[in-house]
DNA sequence: CTGGGGAAGGGGCCC
DNA sequence: GGGGCCCCTTCCCCA
């Protein structure tokens, strides 16, 4: 079953590309084999971006980054577009190679900065993907199609946001893992720093993620949030309820 | 096998 | 319109 109810349902027959196992299968995810980024060539325009502002105060406590990262010109806000495997997952551009030119995959134009290329490539996406399905019939709303998957959106903003899940422009400076949004990267970096800002008031546990704290709080509750419709048993997580149902407690449901 | 923790994903909302 | 944050959800792993 695909993670979540989102885009990847179209690929339910295979592992989602962003799965960590998939990422690790490509990179081993160990410092020695840390995926040095590729040159942004025509075959692999690994578009990556690094924080241009110190959003992670805890970065100062990072245990010796694997390599010093020179921030490139593209901030998080620069939602780029690239080839399918380009900057995806943990195969980002090497910070050591950022001085190279960036090629557009669609028209072979060259750009000296990542942000410029990202901006340019996005124009390809919006024009190429929107035009074929402009409303000509009953539909009064334009459809913005993602070129990477069958997903479509009714607004360009939504499409741009979605495209980030393909381009993964936010790269961890410590391990090189790529994420679609800055706050995802922020949460990931906590796995490096050990920062756990969300503390449980009932015990001494702390969590790096608020949602995980919320799930944990359920364990302190006698009556859990998720209840089986048949046996009235409650569970702290929906996934546990689903497991419970799948195990046969509620064959009718 | 079950429950819980950790990590990560996207949509929605607000500024 | 874009960015940040919140929320919900899922999957993997481990005890």
């Amino acid at each position: 079953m695909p993670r979540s109810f989102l885009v990847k349902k179209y690929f339910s027959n295979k592992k989602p590309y962003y799965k960590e196992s998939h990422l690790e299968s490509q990179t081993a995810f160990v410092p020695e084999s840390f995926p040095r980024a590729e040159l942004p060539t025509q075959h692999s325009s690994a578009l990556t971006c690094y924080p241009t502002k110190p959003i992670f105060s805890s970065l100062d406590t990072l245990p010796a980054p694997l390599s010093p990262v020179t921030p490139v010109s593209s901030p998080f806000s620069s939602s780029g577009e690239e080839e399918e495997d380009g900057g995806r997952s943990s195969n980002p551009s090497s910070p050591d190679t950022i001085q190279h030119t960036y090629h557009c995959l669609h028209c072979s134009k060259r750009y000296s900065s990542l942000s410029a290329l990202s901006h340019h490539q996005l124009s390809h996406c919006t024009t190429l993907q929107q035009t074929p399905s402009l409303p000509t019939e009953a539909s009064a709303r334009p459809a913005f199609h993602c070129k990477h998957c069958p997903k479509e959106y009714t607004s360009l903003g939504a499409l741009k946001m979605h495209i980030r899940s393909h381009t993964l422009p936010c790269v961890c400076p410590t391990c090189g893992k790529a994420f679609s949004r800055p706050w995802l990267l922020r949460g990931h970096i906590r796995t490096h720093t050990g920062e756990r800002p969300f503390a449980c008031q009932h015990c001494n546990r702390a969590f790096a993620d608020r949602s995980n704290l919320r799930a944990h709080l359920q364990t302190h509750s006698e009556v859990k949030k998720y209840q089986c419709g048949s046996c009235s048993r409650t569970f702290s997580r929906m996934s546990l309820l689903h497991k419970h149902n799948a195990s046969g407690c509620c064959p009718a449901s």
Side-chain angles (χ1 to χ4, degrees), chain A residues 102-115:
Chain A
Y102 296 85
H103 299 257
C104 174
L105 297 171
H106 307 292
C107 64
S108 299
K109 285 184 178 178
R110 294 184 180 191
Y111 293 86
S112 59
S113 74
L114 182 60
S115 57

Side-chain angles (χ1 to χ4, degrees), chain A residues 88-214:
Chain A
R88 187 176 295 174
S89 70
S90 38
N91 200 17
S93 291
S94 169
D96 300 328
T97 61
I98 57 175
Q99 70 275 18
H100 289 73
T101 57
Y102 296 85
H103 299 257
C104 174
L105 297 171
H106 307 292
C107 64
S108 299
K109 285 184 178 178
R110 294 184 180 191
Y111 293 86
S112 59
S113 74
L114 182 60
S115 57
L117 174 62
S118 298
H119 186 266
H120 162 75
Q121 290 195 317
L122 193 58
S123 68
H124 277 297
C125 179
T126 57
T127 55
L128 294 178
Q129 300 305 314
Q130 177 189 2
T131 303
S133 55
L134 278 173
T136 57
E137 301 175 354
S139 175
R141 311 181 76 179
F144 296 85
H145 290 266
C146 175
K147 63 171 289 185
H148 302 290
C149 72
K151 192 80 176 179
E152 64 179 58
Y153 296 86
T154 56
S155 72
L156 178 60
L159 175 62
K160 284 181 177 179
M161 181 63 71
H162 165 73
I163 287 176
R164 293 176 73 98
S165 69
H166 291 294
T167 59
L168 301 178
C170 307
V171 179
C172 175
T174 301
C175 69
K177 196 167 184 179
F179 299 87
S180 59
R181 306 192 202 177
W183 56 266
L184 278 173
L185 172 59
R186 210 168 299 151
H188 165 77
I189 286 181
R190 292 197 187 108
T191 68
H192 294 304
T193 64
E195 182 187 10
R196 293 167 178 259
F198 304 100
C200 176
Q201 295 180 337
H202 301 90
C203 66
N204 59 356
R205 291 195 67 98
F207 300 85
D209 183 85
R210 180 180 276 108
S211 293
N212 288 340
L213 169 61
R214 191 173 293 115

Side-chain angles (χ1 to χ4, degrees), chain A residues 24-44:
Chain A
E24 291 182 346
S25 68
Q26 296 179 346
T27 67
F29 216 66
V30 293
E32 289 74 15
S33 60
F34 167 66
R36 306 307 305 170
E38 297 175 349
L39 278 169
T41 64
Q42 288 185 340
H43 300 290
S44 174

